[in-house]
Amino acid sequence: MFGWLKPDPVKKLRKAYDQKLEQAMHAQRNGDMRLFADLTAESEELWQKIEQLQQQQAANQ
């Protein structure tokens, strides 16, 4: 009944994912390839978590 009041974990993870990608872009532009690789790897982990949560949500509906 009050499901719309619950925070959406996918939305929070997607925001963090977008921030990591933006940080990675800036690192790449500055020539810091090691930081770019690290941030890209972190963003891929976040994307996997997002996909898992979306699959769980789809299965529950």
Side-chain angles (χ1 to χ4, degrees):
M1 183 171 166
F2 291 103
W4 57 274
L5 289 175
K6 294 180 184 176
D8 187 14
V10 173
K11 185 176 179 181
K12 185 177 179 180
L13 284 175
R14 190 174 293 271
K15 184 176 179 180
Y17 172 76
D18 291 339
Q19 288 175 345
K20 287 287 180 190
L21 285 180
E22 186 173 350
Q23 290 173 352
M25 178 192 64
H26 290 297
Q28 185 180 27
R29 285 186 179 174
N30 291 331
D32 192 352
M33 290 296 134
R34 184 174 301 270
L35 180 59
F36 169 73
D38 291 341
L39 290 170
T40 303
E42 290 176 18
S43 67
E44 288 297 321
E45 290 174 9
L46 286 172
W47 186 253
Q48 289 175 358
K49 289 179 184 178
I50 290 170
E51 287 181 338
Q52 288 175 352
L53 283 174
Q54 288 176 339
Q55 289 175 356
Q56 288 175 354
Q57 288 177 349
N60 289 338
Q61 290 181 356

